[in-house]
């Protein structure tokens, strides 16, 4: 297994941050052929999504999460900014990991799919993502 940790500046607002380019660079740098790319966000308040970006879907996702997990005072986990507890619930809906098949060094994703870090936690402005490439040989 080959692995690398990247830093992602998600900023101080809710975001869906594209890391597709970083994934492609990692695969190129290690000379990946066929295998699996696993992404893992080692944070209790962030997730990884495969989603179309740039067409409004990223904002639609944030809007849906806002409706499902409102940033108000209902959360028992209440330290940090208002509604912070919802950030701890979000990874149950958007997992902190994803695995993508890699064929001939390229992600076998759909035409419009991108890899993104989803972060509702406005208190943490930088996230880590572990990229791991696993081959069957």
């Amino acid at each position: 297994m080959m692995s690398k940790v990247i830093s992602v500046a998600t900023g101080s607002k809710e975001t869906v941050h594209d890391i597709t380019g970083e994934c492609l660079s990692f695969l190129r740098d290690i000379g990946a052929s066929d295998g699996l790319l696993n992404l893992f966000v080692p944070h209790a308040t962030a997730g990884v999504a495969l989603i179309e970006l740039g067409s409004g879907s990223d904002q639609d996702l944030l809007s849906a999460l806002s409706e499902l997990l409102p940033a108000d005072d209902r959360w028992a986990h209440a330290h940090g900014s208002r509604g912070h507890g919802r950030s701890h619930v979000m990874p149950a809906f958007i997992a902190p990991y994803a695995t993508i098949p890699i064929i001939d060094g390229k992600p076998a994703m759909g035409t419009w799919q991108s890899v993104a870090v989803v972060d509702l936690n406005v208190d943490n402005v930088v996230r880590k993502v572990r990229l791991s490439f696993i081959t069957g040989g």
Side-chain angles (χ1 to χ4, degrees):
M1 176 175 82
M2 290 170 256
S3 191
K4 176 182 181 179
V5 175
I6 62 171
S7 291
V8 178
T10 55
S12 58
K13 65 178 187 168
E14 298 173 0
T15 190
V16 178
H17 186 89
D18 189 359
I19 61 167
T20 308
E22 289 91 332
C23 293
L24 295 173
S25 292
F26 171 67
L27 294 169
R28 234 184 348 266
D29 290 349
I30 64 169
S33 56
D34 294 345
L36 297 172
L37 174 63
N38 181 264
L39 300 98
F40 178 70
V41 181
H43 300 282
T45 58
V48 176
L50 300 180
I51 187 170
E52 179 179 3
L53 296 173
S55 65
S57 297
D58 37 356
Q59 187 55 51
D60 289 342
L61 175 58
L62 291 175
S63 294
L65 289 170
S66 179
E67 289 180 33
L68 180 65
L69 305 168
D72 58 22
D73 295 326
R74 73 182 70 200
W75 308 100
H77 188 108
H79 73 84
S81 60
R82 186 170 191 260
H84 178 75
R86 77 190 192 117
S87 297
H88 287 273
V89 173
M90 189 208 62
F93 295 94
I94 299 176
Y97 57 85
T99 301
I100 303 167
I102 305 301
I103 300 170
D104 292 330
K106 295 181 176 46
M109 299 190 308
T111 301
W112 304 113
Q113 285 181 307
S114 295
V115 183
V117 173
V118 180
D119 189 0
L120 301 182
N121 185 350
V122 299
D123 298 326
N124 291 338
V125 299
V126 176
R127 298 308 189 137
K128 302 289 185 196
V129 181
R130 178 169 295 278
L131 308 175
S132 299
F133 182 71
I134 304 155
T135 61

